[in-house]
Structures are given as C-alpha cells and as structure tokens.
C-alpha cells in the first residue's frame, strides 16, 4: 500500500486549497485509486478550511464504502474511529462532538438539511463518486448550493468523480474550477467469453468459478469477482472453495449485509493469494490493493421505479458499458492486469453506454417529501441539476397527498408527513409503519414490505397437484394475498429453501430466499425508530388496515358479483387477477397494478396482490377523504332529474342511490337545460321558425336602436331554454312543450307590436305574391323566388320603412340560384337576356317571357 503522501491526488493539494479559499466550490476529476476519497477530506482539515470546530461531511453512495473509508482515514489520521473521523449510515453511527471528518450516505445529509437548513457545524461537503448520479446526491448538491447562496456563504462544496463529464456540472456550479488528476494505472487486458451463456441454465457463479480457476493459473496477484447480490456471492464463494485448482487461495465475500468484522477481513492483506467476491461496492470508492485480475459477472441490483407496484425496486439487471470499464480498471492499480467479462464481445456492444441518472428512473415521492420538510413548497421550481419529468413530480405529489403526507392546494407537509420522515424507506412503507405502530403489528408489516421488493416467488398458473399441495399446507385464504405469500415464505424458510420442497408448492426458491435479508433490514429500520418488533399473535384486520394506509391510492370497488371488473380511485378501471384469493371482497386494495397489452391493441389493467378492506376503515384512517353527498342529477336512463345520494372515498363512488324525490325546480331546470343545449333532449317546438324569430329580434335591435330592443345572445338563449324547462322534471315532458310564449316575453308589448312591421316574415310583391324573407346574423334579408314568380316585378325593395334593402335570390326552375340582386329592373334589362336562351333550352316546358 503506498504511503498517503505518495498518492497521485497530492499533485493537486495546493490547487485544491487555493481554489476552495477563492471560490468555495470545486470539481475534482481523478481516477479510482488516486486517493481522492481518503486524502481530500484530510487536506481540508489540515489546511484549516474547517475552522476551529467545523466538520467536513463526505457523501458516499454506499454504506459499506462510507464505513470502510472512515476506518482507513481514521487510521491514517491517527485517531480512533468515531473520534476525529467517524461515519453515519442507516441503522449505525460512529461519531462524537470531536468528529471533524464524517463519512455519510446520501440520505443522511438530506435529512439533516430538512431539519436544519443552516447546517450548523458543517464547514464543507464533499460529494464523492458523483458520476453515479444517485438521486439523493443530486438533490443534496442542489440544496447545498441553495444554502451556500442564502444563509451559509462560508460553506465549501467539493464534487469528486472518477469518470465525470464535468461540462454540465461546471455550468451548474459556476463560478467553479475543475481540477484533473491523471492518476497512475497499468494496462488491463479485456477478455470476453467465446460464446454467450444463459445464466438460467448455467448459473453465473459456476461460470465465474470456472474462469477464476483458469485466470488464477495465468496471473500472480489477487482476484476480484463482481456479483449482483449477497446470495450470488455466497454461491460463488461455495463454487470457488469447491474447485480443485483454487485450494491455495483464501476467499472472502464483500457486501453491505456482512458484519463490519467480515467486511474488514475481505480487504486486509494476506500471505496467501486472495479472491474477493463483491457487489458493485468494489466498483468505485474502495481501492483493494493487490488485485490484478477481475472476473465480471456483468450484473448488478439496480434501483428503478416499478409502475406496477408504485414503488422503487432493486432488480438484477445488466450493467452499462461505463460500469464495466470501472470494474475493469480495478485490475490495473498496482501492475498490468486482466479483466474477464462473462459475456461476449458482441453482447457488450448491445449494452447501454451508461446508466440513466436515478432522477430519470426512480419514483420521486421520498425525495419530494424530504424537500417539502425542508421548506421547499414548489418542487417544480427547485434548481434540479437535471430536471425530472414533470409528470413524475406530479405523480409523487399526488401519492403523498393520498398517503396524508401533503395537504391543501399548495401541497404542504402535514404532521403525518413529518412523522413519515423518521423512516428511511419509501413513503408507502413509512405510512404503513406508522399505522403498524398504532395497531401493534410492526413485524408482519415489515415482512409485507420485504415481499413487495422483488418479483413474486409464488409461481402462477400451476397444475392441479401443486394447487392441492398449496391448499393442504398453506390453507385457504380470503382476506389478503399477502397472508398467503407470508405463509408460503415461512414454509420455504423452514424448508431451508430446498429446491424439492419449494417445487412441490410452486415456489421459486431463490426469490423466496431474497426476502429474508430484506425482512431483517425492514425490521432493523423499525427497531431503530423505537417500534415494537416482537412476535405477536397477528390480528388480520389490523394488518389489512396498514395495507390500506400504504396503498389507499389503489383502492378498488368491485362493479358486480358476477365478474372481476373493478373501479379504482382516480377514475381508473381494472380487473382483479383470477389467481387472487380475494374473489368475493366488494372492496379491496391492490398492491400491484399491471397494464397488459391485448391482441386488439387495447390495454387491460390487472389488479393483483390484493387485500380485502372494509368501508368503515376508510372513514377511520382517512376521515377527510370520505364523504356522503346528496345531489340532484339527470339520469340518462330514465330521462328524468332525480335525487342522488352517494358515499365517496375521494373520487371513487362506493355506493349511489337515486330516488324520484321531488327535486328543486330551479336545479332541475338547470340540468334539463344542459341536456337540451348538448342535444341530448330535443325541444320539438324549437324549430327553424323559432331560430328565424330569434335572428329577426337581433336584427331589429341592430337596425333600429331607437326601439331599445335587447339582442338575444348565446347566454340569453340558455336562459330562455331554462325558463322553458322550469317546472319540468323529465325530458319526455319537454318534447312537445311550446316555446314561443317564453320567447315572446323577451320583448315588451310595444316591441312585439312593431316586430312584424319592421322585420316582416314575408314580403308582398307587386303581383300580389307573398314571399318568405330569410334573415341571417349578418347582411341584408334575402327573398328567394323562382324566376317565373318574379315576372312583372321591377325596381328595388326595402323593409323597415325603407331603411333596410332586400336582396333577391333568383332561382331556376330546379330551385338552384342563378343570380343575386337588389335591383330587379337592372336584372331584367342587363342579365335576363343573357341567361334566357340557355334556361329556355334546359327547361322548355316553363314559361319564358
């Protein structure tokens, strides 16, 4: 191990100190192994940048790295761990009043910011491994910048990374200097498998053990093997220890679930050659000396939002090409090395170049709640380093409001929301833990939280024999699919996850095995917050109430007893899964909602992992969201206005009853008017003649303002329809109801008396004929007549005592217009001779003068 002062990062020491004193912000780009994680915090301490009693907080993406880095820095600084140098991670803390360098995980600092916006006692914040772009790292940086710009201009900020595109970050932090250390590394030879391996048929740990044996014979240093999780690591360790060619090696697992002593043993130096099997915690942050060969399984547990369950999950996925490069670099720290990738070179070309930032792939509910607690009311205007999808922010706020954590139009944090912040888990589970604390059922709730983290281990669509075995060993279930899963997991645990025992009940053994550590983790969180986690007799109703508290936004009501169709809150519909045990429950919450494409291009919404709930619980847990209403509505089926009584939870109608009680006449008239204007009820008496009457009134008002006639606007038309509807309760009674009596009342008696005189319906011509006038919203009145009806009529015509000229629309014998004019004398003299010959040929049987 090189002495600290020999590490490459020391070439930047004077520049780091000068830059922070000048600007207070700095970006350091240095490769893994350069010493940045351990030495830069010590530089700040040594050069007096922390003041007399201030501390530097170093953010690490992973708990294991935070603890192990703190241990190494404490040794280098000559102080006991927890004194001058300490760490603070979830469920564990080694700090004191004398701590000057504190390594923490990202959520710890953000929570501190939510309770103390001035960060008293913190002189500097170092964001390590920032290229991983964890959500809490992004948010903590944005909050740190806000705090520095407002109340703490003396706060110093350092952002560090091994492989970071510093351009966008430099712009975000401007003014800010970027310092680059080239580090020291040796070449690493990359090897791929000659042909692809299906890990479903040949487990990844067997392939890794085989490659370890081959590479160990060709190299002289230690080996580092990357696996996605604790289970795969333990199987890999077993496979390696069972291999003949590796008996001279010592083999150690390295992951976050091990005790500190076990973690320390993995990174110590030994006389014998060593093989470390680790999660991606060894990809960055930690430098493990002596490694000259890397065996990369190419997999990692990746946090991602699962829309089916409405939570963030950790599922095993293929790593990106950038992560693969990080892992390969671990083999070239002290000598030339080799990295064997357990996939083909062709497959490598299909991998994602780099992982999406967490802000683009995680549910934002937990971080939005933390921001709200910090006094950030408008999360949309928050200075995000990379803005999330607005729909994701809106979804997070809506969920928190449904959980009771936010309230009001401004979505401000409630007392329940502040209590939920005690638990470093997704807000759904925080809400469930609060309910469990109140009802004395913390342990089963912790197990349910663990059961929802991964894919269901209870295989669906099993054969009849397996169904019978399940019923015999697990019993019948009618209250919650969770209860059946819990009994299935207990069975698998007691059978030590044996393949034969699990196969008998259709249990995926590996999936069931992964529940145990998660269960312990949730129990630890609950215990840390002072909750009673002792084994107790389970009250099924109390546990189901906790599920309702956490998944109230997925409440569903069965539409009928004959099908599995359901209506959900927020205007959604779905179908309860056929394999659900909750087939008879009228009201339920679904912990999992899947949208499945059908062959016809439509989407089916499937509700699973269901729990039966009772209506009274809604009022008990969410009293402000439960209401009973009485309203007057138009029932399209009976075509009548009825009184409707409803019980609602948010926007979901739990029960509705319509009665033919006499509705208030004004409310009934308003509803009937809406139906008439929408065209769903027809007033037969309101015909073209009535429409013409309305237009005549409006033109009378326009052409003769001295009469002081009020024109009939669209709004007035609605008022007139409402007057016609007044006194009726059904559409049928309106069909034949006269309308003119109401319309005539629009005019005074004097105005009504002159209407036909000033704007007549018909015009009497010189030959004694009466012709109908058509009035439009604009332009003069128009009289349409066939040409033969106009013989002998000349001159101009006007109405309104000569004030308004009339236009003639002259029609051919087939009633099609051939000319429009306001001067018949001119028409007979100028136009008629030109068209007469053609018209007489086409219509020889008509009179032509």
């Amino acid at each position: 191990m090189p002495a600290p002062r020999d590490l490459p990062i020391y070439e930047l020491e004077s520049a780091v100190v000068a830059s922070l004193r000048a600007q207070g912000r700095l970006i350091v780009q240095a490769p893994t192994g350069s010493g940045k994680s351990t030495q830069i915090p010590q530089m700040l301490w040594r050069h007096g940048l922390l003041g007399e009693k201030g501390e530097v907080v170093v953010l690490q993406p992973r708990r294991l790295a935070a603890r192990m880095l703190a241990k190494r820095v404490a040794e280098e600084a000559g102080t006991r761990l927890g004194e001058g140098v300490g760490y603070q991670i979830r469920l564990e803390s080694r700090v004191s009043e004398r701590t000057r360098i504190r390594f923490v995980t990202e959520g710890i600092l953000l929570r501190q910011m939510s309770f103390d916006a001035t960060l008293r006692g913190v002189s500097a914040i170092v964001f390590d491994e920032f290229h991983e772009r964890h959500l809490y790292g992004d948010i903590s940086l944005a909050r740190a910048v806000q705090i520095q710009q407002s109340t703490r201009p003396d706060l110093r900020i350092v952002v560090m990374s091994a492989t970071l595109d510093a351009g966008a970050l430099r712009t975000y932090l401007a003014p800010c200097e970027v310092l680059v250390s080239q580090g020291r590394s040796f070449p690493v030879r990359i090897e791929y498998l000659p042909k692809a391996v299906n890990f479903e048929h040949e487990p990844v740990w067997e392939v890794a053990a085989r490659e370890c044996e081959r590479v160990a014979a060709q190299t002289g240093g230690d080996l580092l093997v990357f696996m996605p999780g604790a289970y795969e690591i333990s199987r890999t360790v077993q496979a390696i220890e069972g291999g003949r060619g590796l008996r001279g090696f010592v083999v150690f697992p390295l992951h976050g679930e091990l005790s500190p002593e076990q973690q320390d043993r993995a990174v110590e130096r030994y006389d014998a050659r060593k093989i470390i099997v680790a999660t991606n915690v060894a990809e960055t942050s930690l430098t493990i000396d002596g490694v000259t060969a890397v065996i990369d399984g190419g997999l990692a547990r990746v946090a991602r939002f699962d829309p089916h369950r409405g939570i963030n999950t950790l599922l095993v996925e293929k790593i990106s090409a950038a992560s693969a490069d990080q892992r390969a670099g671990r083999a070239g720290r002290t000598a030339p090395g080799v990295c064997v990738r357990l996939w083909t070179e062709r497959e490598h070309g299909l991998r994602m170049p780099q992982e999406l930032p967490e802000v683009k792939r995680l549910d934002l509910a937990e971080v939005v709640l933390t921001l709200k607690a910090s006094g950030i009311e408008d999360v949309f205007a928050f200075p995000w380093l990379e803005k999330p999808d607005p729909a994701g922010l809106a979804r997070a706020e809506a969920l928190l409001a449904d959980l009771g954590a936010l309230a009001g139009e401004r979505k401000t944090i409630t007392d329940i929301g502040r209590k939920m912040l005690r638990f470093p888990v997704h807000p759904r589970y925080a809400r469930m833990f609060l309910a469990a604390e109140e009802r004395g059922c913390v342990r089963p709730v912790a197990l349910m939280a663990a059961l929802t983290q991964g894919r269901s281990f209870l295989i669906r669509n099993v054969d009849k024999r397996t169904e019978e075995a399940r019923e015999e060993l697990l019993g019948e279930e009618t209250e919650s699919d969770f209860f059946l899963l819990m009994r299935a997991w207990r069975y698998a645990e007691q059978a030590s996850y044996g393949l034969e025992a699990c196969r008998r009940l259709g249990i995926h053994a590996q999936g069931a095995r992964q529940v145990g550590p998660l269960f312990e983790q949730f129990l630890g969180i609950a215990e840390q917050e002072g909750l009673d986690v002792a084994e107790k007799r389970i009250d099924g109703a109390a546990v189901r109430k906790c599920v309702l508290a956490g998944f109230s936004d997925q409440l569903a009501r069965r539409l009928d007893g004959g099908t599995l169709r359901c209506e959900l809150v927020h205007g959604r519909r779905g179908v309860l899964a056929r394999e659900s045990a909750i087939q008879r429950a009228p009201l339920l919450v679904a912990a999992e909602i899947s949208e499945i494409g059908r062959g016809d291009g439509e989407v089916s919404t499937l509700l699973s992992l269901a729990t039966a709930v009772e209506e009274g619980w809604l009022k008990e847990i969410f009293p402000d969201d439960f209401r009973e209403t009485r309203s007057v509505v138009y029932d399209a089926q009976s075509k009548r206005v009825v009184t409707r009584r409803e019980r609602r939870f948010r926007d979901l109608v739990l029960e509705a009853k319509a009665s033919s009680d006499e509705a208030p006449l004004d409310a009934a008239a308003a509803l009937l008017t809406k139906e008439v204007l929408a065209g769903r009820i027809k007033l037969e008496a309101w015909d073209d003649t009535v429409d013409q009457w309305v237009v005549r009134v409006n033109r009378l008002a326009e052409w003769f303002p001295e009469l002081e006639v009020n024109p009939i606007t669209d709004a007035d038309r609605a008022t007139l329809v409402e007057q016609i509807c007044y006194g009726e309760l059904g559409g049928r009674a309106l069909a034949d109801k006269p309308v003119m009596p109401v319309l005539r009342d629009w005019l005074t008696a004097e105005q009504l008396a002159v209407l036909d005189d000033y704007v007549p319906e018909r015009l009497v011509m010189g030959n004694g004929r009466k012709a109908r006038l058509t009035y439009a919203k604009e332009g003069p009145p128009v009289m349409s007549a066939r040409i033969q009806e106009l013989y002998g009529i000349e001159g101009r015509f006007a109405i309104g005592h000569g004030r308004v000229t009339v236009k003639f629309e002259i029609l051919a014998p087939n009633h099609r217009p051939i000319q429009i004019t306001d001067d018949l004398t001119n028409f007979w003299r100028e136009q008629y001779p030109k068209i007469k010959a053609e018209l007489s040929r086409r219509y020889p049987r008509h009179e032509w003068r």
Side-chain angles (χ1 to χ4, degrees), residues 525-632:
I525 290 169
E527 196 169 16
Q528 181 82 0
E529 293 305 323
L531 274 58
D532 182 2
V533 298
E535 285 272 15
K536 296 179 182 178
R537 181 179 171 275
I538 294 177
D539 178 353
V543 177
R544 287 188 288 145
K545 286 180 183 180
C546 296
V547 179
L548 172 60
F551 289 89
S552 67
D553 60 312
Q554 297 183 174
L555 178 74
R557 177 181 69 86
R558 291 281 294 279
L559 288 173
D560 50 67
T563 71
L564 297 175
R565 295 182 306 127
C566 300
E567 196 168 38
L568 292 90
V569 290
H570 303 317
R572 297 166 293 171
R573 288 204 169 192
V575 178
L576 181 63
R578 291 194 176 278
E579 64 268 18
S580 173
I582 318 305
Q583 297 286 320
R584 295 178 186 172
L587 208 57
L588 56 96
V589 287
E592 190 170 320
I593 298 181
S594 308
E595 290 189 343
I596 302 168
R598 301 198 316 233
D600 58 4
E602 294 296 315
V603 172
S604 292
T605 302
L606 190 69
L607 313 179
S608 49
L609 208 52
T611 297
V613 298
E614 296 177 16
E615 188 179 307
W617 302 350
L618 302 175
K619 193 182 273 190
E620 175 189 336
I621 301 172
F622 299 98
D624 295 338
D625 294 338
F626 186 90
R627 59 184 59 86
E628 297 184 33
T629 60
R630 178 181 176 275
S631 58
V632 179

Side-chain angles (χ1 to χ4, degrees), residues 262-456:
Q262 289 172 307
Q263 293 170 358
D264 291 342
R265 277 203 297 271
V267 296
E268 287 172 3
R269 295 191 70 86
Y270 296 89
D271 293 333
R273 291 177 69 187
K274 177 174 64 174
I275 300 176
I276 301 165
V277 189
T279 59
N280 56 0
V281 68
E283 188 177 304
T284 55
S285 302
L286 287 175
T287 294
I288 303 171
D289 292 301
V291 171
T292 58
V294 166
I295 309 297
D296 187 359
L299 304 170
R301 292 196 179 278
V302 178
R304 201 175 295 278
F305 175 61
D306 183 348
H308 300 161
R309 280 166 278 189
I311 57 170
N312 294 324
T313 56
L314 274 172
L315 296 178
V316 175
E317 296 182 9
K318 294 177 180 177
I319 62 170
S320 66
S323 290
D325 290 343
Q326 280 284 328
R327 292 179 175 188
R330 311 306 276 175
R333 278 281 298 112
T334 55
V338 60
C339 171
V340 179
R341 292 172 174 167
L342 303 186
W343 61 94
T344 66
E345 192 167 4
R346 182 178 176 279
E347 287 175 313
H348 186 74
L350 301 175
R351 296 210 167 204
M352 288 178 58
Q354 53 196 23
E355 186 57 77
L356 273 177
E358 283 190 346
V359 74
K360 295 287 188 182
R361 56 183 163 91
L362 287 187
D363 174 52
L364 302 170
E366 190 174 352
V367 78
V368 165
L369 184 62
T370 307
L371 288 175
K372 295 280 186 177
S374 304
I376 309 297
E377 287 198 359
D378 187 354
V379 293
F380 293 86
F382 183 72
W384 303 87
L385 174 57
E386 188 162 352
K387 281 194 177 295
D389 178 12
L393 280 176
R395 183 179 63 231
E397 283 197 332
L399 172 61
L400 292 169
D402 283 340
L403 294 174
L406 303 180
E409 277 188 32
R410 297 175 68 86
K411 298 283 194 303
T412 53
I413 191 167
T414 64
D415 288 341
I416 286 176
R418 293 195 183 279
K419 288 177 183 175
M420 286 164 60
L421 278 173
R422 290 165 46 197
F423 303 95
V425 294
H426 189 277
R428 284 193 191 279
Y429 305 127
R431 186 69 179 88
M432 287 172 69
F433 272 135
L434 287 179
E437 180 181 26
E438 187 180 330
R439 292 171 175 83
C441 52
V442 173
R443 200 171 187 88
V445 164
L447 179 52
M448 284 192 294
L451 288 168
T452 58
Q453 296 302 298
R455 297 185 178 95
S456 176

Side-chain angles (χ1 to χ4, degrees), residues 44-105:
L44 303 185
W45 188 6
R46 261 196 318 272
H47 287 277
L49 293 174
L50 306 183
E52 284 188 20
K53 293 186 178 180
E55 66 173 352
V56 53
V57 176
V58 186
L59 265 74
Q60 284 295 327
R62 295 176 184 83
R63 290 179 295 163
L64 188 152
R67 191 193 69 78
M68 298 191 80
L69 285 169
K71 181 174 180 291
R72 180 173 294 183
V73 172
E75 290 170 357
E76 291 179 0
T79 177
R80 288 173 56 191
L81 184 62
E83 295 288 321
V85 181
Y87 66 91
Q88 195 175 359
I89 60 179
R90 191 171 67 189
L91 308 181
E92 194 179 345
S93 177
R94 294 283 297 276
V95 293
S96 68
E97 291 181 356
R98 294 178 294 280
T99 300
R100 308 300 301 280
I101 299 176
R102 174 164 55 111
F103 286 84
V104 303
T105 43

Side-chain angles (χ1 to χ4, degrees), residues 484-533:
L484 193 66
L485 265 182
M486 290 160 83
R487 292 200 292 273
W489 180 73
R490 290 290 186 200
Y491 165 85
E493 183 194 35
Q494 288 165 8
S496 301
Y497 309 103
L499 291 179
E500 191 55 43
C502 288
R503 190 178 295 119
R504 184 183 173 197
L505 263 63
I507 293 173
H508 192 284
Q510 187 176 339
R513 184 191 297 274
Q514 291 169 355
V515 172
L518 290 166
F519 179 32
E520 292 301 323
Q521 193 175 335
F522 279 111
L523 280 178
I525 290 169
E527 196 169 16
Q528 181 82 0
E529 293 305 323
L531 274 58
D532 182 2
V533 298

